[in-house]
Amino acid sequence: MTFTLTVRDHMMVAHSFSGATFGPAQRLHGATFVVDASFRASDLDADGVVVDIGRAAEALSEITGSLTYRNLDDEAEFAGMNTTTERLCQVIADRLAERIADGRLGSADGRLSSIEVTLHESHIAWATYERTL
């Protein structure tokens, strides 16, 4: 049995890709993503929640806010990386995991088993990354 709590935000970035695989996306272009972050636990805490929804939404908003209106090609942390939808899912999931580890999402008491981040690039295309905790 698994419980899941999901919060949603969005972000708007500019980036380009390296490699012939990406065709015209090798040129600088913009992307607007709807971002879903799902937190999973096998048990609820004493208050009956997976994780505090307000803290989860705030953490996701901090992360998406740090990326919004940025040209990711200019950000040192992404140097040499194709910031594909899949890779951005991983970056966001890892940043959420850091916040869980340092207690910014409250005391999970080791109950959280995984985080799943989905970036919806459009109504017909999206990518997901799931990591265990």
Side-chain angles (χ1 to χ4, degrees):
M1 178 182 296
T2 301
F3 295 94
T4 303
L5 172 82
T6 301
V7 294
R8 177 173 276 182
D9 203 351
H10 72 283
M11 64 183 193
M12 296 174 272
V13 302
H15 59 174
S16 61
F17 299 130
S18 296
T21 300
F22 297 102
Q26 292 177 81
R27 294 187 298 272
L28 184 65
H29 63 280
T32 300
F33 296 103
V34 172
V35 183
D36 291 329
S38 297
F39 303 84
R40 292 196 172 82
S42 57
D43 293 311
L44 301 177
D45 72 5
D47 295 317
V49 300
V50 172
V51 67
D52 181 272
I53 196 168
R55 287 184 178 184
E58 182 178 303
L60 182 59
S61 179
E62 288 173 3
I63 294 165
T64 57
S66 73
L67 298 170
T68 293
Y69 298 123
R70 307 263 185 198
N71 178 350
L72 301 182
D73 297 347
D74 294 339
E75 301 294 319
E77 67 187 298
F78 298 121
M81 176 193 303
N82 277 328
T83 52
T84 60
T85 305
E86 296 90 338
R87 185 64 68 201
L88 290 173
C89 287
Q90 182 182 23
V91 167
I92 293 168
D94 289 346
R95 290 181 181 184
L96 285 168
E98 290 170 6
R99 284 163 171 78
I100 290 167
D102 69 17
R104 284 187 267 175
L105 271 73
S107 174
D109 298 319
R111 290 177 308 94
L112 292 178
S113 57
S114 67
I115 303 169
E116 180 180 282
V117 173
T118 300
L119 269 66
H120 302 266
E121 191 164 351
S122 73
H123 66 288
I124 60 170
W126 57 90
T128 299
Y129 175 77
E130 183 175 0
R131 63 163 286 167
T132 57
L133 297 172

